[in-house]
Amino acid sequence: MSGIHPVANGLRTDHPVPGLPFINDERLPLDNPDAIERTGRNQGEGLWGRTDSLPGGGWVAFTTETKNRAYAWAVHQHPAYGRTVLLIRDQDMSDLHHAWMYGHNGFLYRHGGYWWDGAAWHRPGQVVDRAYEGYDARPVKDAVTVAAIDFLARPVEPGNARIAKIADFTAPKEPLPHWREHLALWAASRRPGSLPLDRCVIDLKAPELEPAHLVDRTGLTQIAGLALDDLPHPKYGRSSLPVPQTETADEGPRWSEPVARDWTEEHHRTHGPQALLSGTTVFGSQQPLGLVADHNRLTKIICDSLEDADGRKTKRGLGRGKTKYEESAAQLAWWPAVALSDNTDGFIPVSALRTTLIEAVIGGLADDVARAGKTTKIGVSLGDIRQDVVKLLDWYILREPGGTPVLFGEICLIARLRLGLEPRDVGDLLRRSLHLDSQLDGETIDALLVLALPPSATRAEDC
């Protein structure tokens, strides 16, 4: 949702988004989600609608606005916190539906994805926790919820504020000036039985969102430890950057420092294993350590073969220097080395090996859980991963370092869903087993686990 920008508030919303105009939504049957869906669904080319029940009660409903097809209505009805009515761009309908239904990131979004679930405010989801198939929820420190009654505490007159009509509506490019006047008109339009103004959530305040604490692109690179040129291009690589908390034509995008740190953490988790477990080939390029080792080993085998063959030809004067042997051997060995771990057409089916590794680890955990079930002991004692399995883990990690976070995340996810094990306990087992039997040194193992384990599988002392 952090990348979706609502363009207006419905007049009957309980939680207006600051700066956005209010639209007359009287044609929207807000008490009948099926009717909202039918407004657009199968009503003509380019029209759509949908409704779903929320797992905890309430519902969501969407429909293309038939009188202005560039936009769509989105309604979130919460059993305790009332309704949210937004006008969004029609192409954003599926993204907002997914966020509300499956995002596990609340239902109100402010400041580039800060979200509220009725209990607390959290920062935009950025750090992936594969053990839970979502983002790690990170609370906002010292967050204060700002209600409509707080906005209207000082007297304000509607003045020039007006309620817009959908037929001729065009989304404004900038926040409305004097928005409190529009909010006052909205408050005056509230119907009997509407959610009280002290429960209508408008915004949040937090020290990290103060303008003086926001950072620009230079500040983001400093937090991330990157050169400015290594940051995704502002024009072509925006999807790789966090959604800014604010952006103006003069200052450009600006982010809160905690959001910048979260983005940095996920950036390092994504790119760190590859950098940590890479080596330099004889050609001077950076490749996974496993590929470098395979190449070096094949180079030696071929070089020795060339020397042996040449030794048999010395009587005919065909001898060459050792440097030439090594150069030729390196060239001949490269593509066979690549083919050993290439996942497209290699000799070893890497993706099948990955699946086998996951099942091997889960099988061992299942045995531990089954044994614990036959005793009166509290909890489950997890035995070390078998040495041969660790050996294959090494082989995979050294040749597919970038896939290590997904591998470890899936192990933790399946162990949680299938066996009821806590990700943190599974993370401890992986750490212990690798330290016992991996060919990697302990410092490298610790650095890799910080990058590759899901946040829920790490302990505070590891961070």
Side-chain angles (χ1 to χ4, degrees):
M1 169 61 195
S2 57
I4 300 171
H5 302 285
V7 297
N9 297 295
L11 182 60
R12 287 176 288 171
T13 189
D14 289 322
H15 308 292
V17 178
L20 296 186
F22 289 90
I23 298 283
N24 187 342
D25 59 10
E26 64 181 7
R27 292 177 53 251
L28 208 59
L30 292 181
D31 295 325
N32 189 338
D34 293 324
I36 296 175
E37 178 188 59
R38 288 195 299 271
T39 301
R41 190 178 182 95
N42 299 327
Q43 296 302 307
E45 185 177 355
L47 300 177
W48 191 246
R50 173 155 186 165
T51 184
D52 291 278
S53 298
L54 291 166
W59 47 266
V60 298
F62 300 81
T63 183
T64 306
E65 172 49 62
T66 56
K67 290 190 174 183
N68 197 336
R69 297 186 180 190
Y71 304 107
W73 290 105
V75 183
H76 184 289
Q77 181 68 49
H78 193 284
Y81 301 109
R83 68 166 63 105
T84 303
V85 185
L86 297 173
L87 190 71
I88 61 176
R89 300 188 188 279
D90 191 60
Q91 66 264 27
D92 289 338
M93 201 188 318
S94 61
D95 288 341
L96 182 53
H97 174 268
H98 185 275
W100 274 347
M101 287 297 300
Y102 312 111
H104 307 293
N105 60 352
F107 58 94
L108 293 187
Y109 310 99
R110 302 290 187 267
H111 302 281
Y114 279 74
W115 55 273
W116 187 69
D117 59 1
W121 287 96
H122 296 77
R123 298 198 296 275
Q126 294 190 97
V127 179
V128 177
D129 192 328
R130 292 180 175 85
Y132 285 89
E133 297 184 289
Y135 293 100
D136 194 33
R138 302 193 165 181
V140 180
K141 185 177 181 182
D142 298 328
V144 175
T145 299
V146 182
I149 199 168
D150 302 315
F151 263 81
L152 300 172
R154 291 181 290 109
V156 60
E157 294 295 331
N160 295 321
R162 69 183 184 89
I163 305 301
K165 296 181 179 180
I166 189 61
D168 58 356
F169 176 77
T170 300
K173 295 181 179 180
E174 300 289 339
L176 294 183
H178 312 295
W179 187 73
R180 288 179 65 245
E181 296 179 6
H182 293 264
L183 186 67
L185 181 57
W186 163 82
S189 304
R190 301 285 285 166
R191 300 178 180 182
S194 297
L195 203 66
L197 293 180
D198 61 349
R199 295 181 59 199
C200 294
V201 175
I202 304 292
D203 204 356
L204 83 150
K205 288 185 177 181
E208 65 194 60
L209 289 171
E210 292 295 326
H213 294 163
L214 302 180
V215 299
D216 57 10
R217 282 176 56 84
T218 300
L220 180 61
T221 59
Q222 291 173 345
I223 291 173
L226 299 172
L228 190 59
D229 290 343
D230 293 333
L231 206 63
H233 193 280
K235 185 176 181 180
Y236 306 108
R238 290 295 292 264
S239 61
S240 300
L241 291 170
V243 176
Q245 274 57 74
T246 183
E247 184 170 8
T248 63
D250 294 332
E251 294 184 330
R254 297 174 69 83
W255 298 272
S256 74
E257 291 186 10
V259 165
R261 288 194 294 269
D262 288 347
W263 180 82
T264 297
E265 180 180 338
E266 183 59 23
H267 181 81
H268 290 327
R269 286 176 175 271
T270 301
H271 302 284
Q274 187 78 31
L276 177 68
L277 299 177
S278 68
T280 305
T281 68
V282 295
F283 307 123
S285 62
Q286 292 295 304
Q287 297 289 345
L289 285 174
L291 174 54
V292 174
D294 290 342
H295 181 230
N296 291 342
R297 185 176 179 185
L298 284 169
T299 297
K300 186 177 186 309
I301 292 171
I302 294 174
C303 183
D304 290 345
S305 298
L306 291 173
E307 286 182 343
D308 290 344
D310 193 64
R312 293 191 294 271
K313 298 177 183 178
T314 53
K315 293 181 180 180
R316 287 180 277 175
L318 299 177
R320 292 181 296 176
K322 191 173 188 300
T323 301
K324 188 65 176 179
Y325 294 141
E326 292 176 343
E327 181 180 342
S328 298
Q331 294 289 344
L332 292 168
W334 176 247
W335 289 113
V338 170
L340 284 174
S341 55
D342 178 55
N343 200 29
T344 303
D345 193 25
F347 289 112
I348 297 173
V350 178
S351 61
L353 173 63
R354 176 182 170 279
T355 301
T356 303
L357 280 170
I358 292 171
E359 292 301 322
V361 175
I362 295 298
L365 295 174
D367 289 342
D368 294 334
V369 171
R371 279 193 296 270
K374 297 177 181 179
T375 68
T376 58
K377 294 180 180 179
I378 298 176
V380 179
S381 177
L382 301 180
D384 299 332
I385 299 172
R386 294 179 60 178
Q387 187 176 22
D388 284 346
V389 176
V390 174
K391 188 174 182 178
L392 279 180
L393 280 170
D394 270 355
W395 190 96
Y396 179 86
I397 289 168
L398 288 171
R399 287 155 184 82
E400 295 286 334
T404 308
V406 179
L407 173 68
F408 287 172
E410 191 163 349
I411 289 172
C412 292
L413 170 67
I414 295 174
R416 181 179 68 83
L417 295 177
R418 192 184 298 177
L419 304 174
L421 295 174
E422 291 293 330
R424 189 168 295 180
D425 293 333
V426 179
D428 287 345
L429 171 64
L430 287 166
R431 177 180 289 101
R432 185 175 71 244
S433 298
L434 288 173
H435 273 289
L436 281 173
D437 294 315
S438 173
Q439 70 184 71
L440 298 171
D441 63 86
E443 184 176 344
T444 301
I445 290 170
D446 289 336
L448 175 64
L449 291 172
V450 167
L451 295 167
L453 283 178
S456 58
T458 60
R459 296 189 179 274
E461 58 267 23
D462 300 326
C463 302

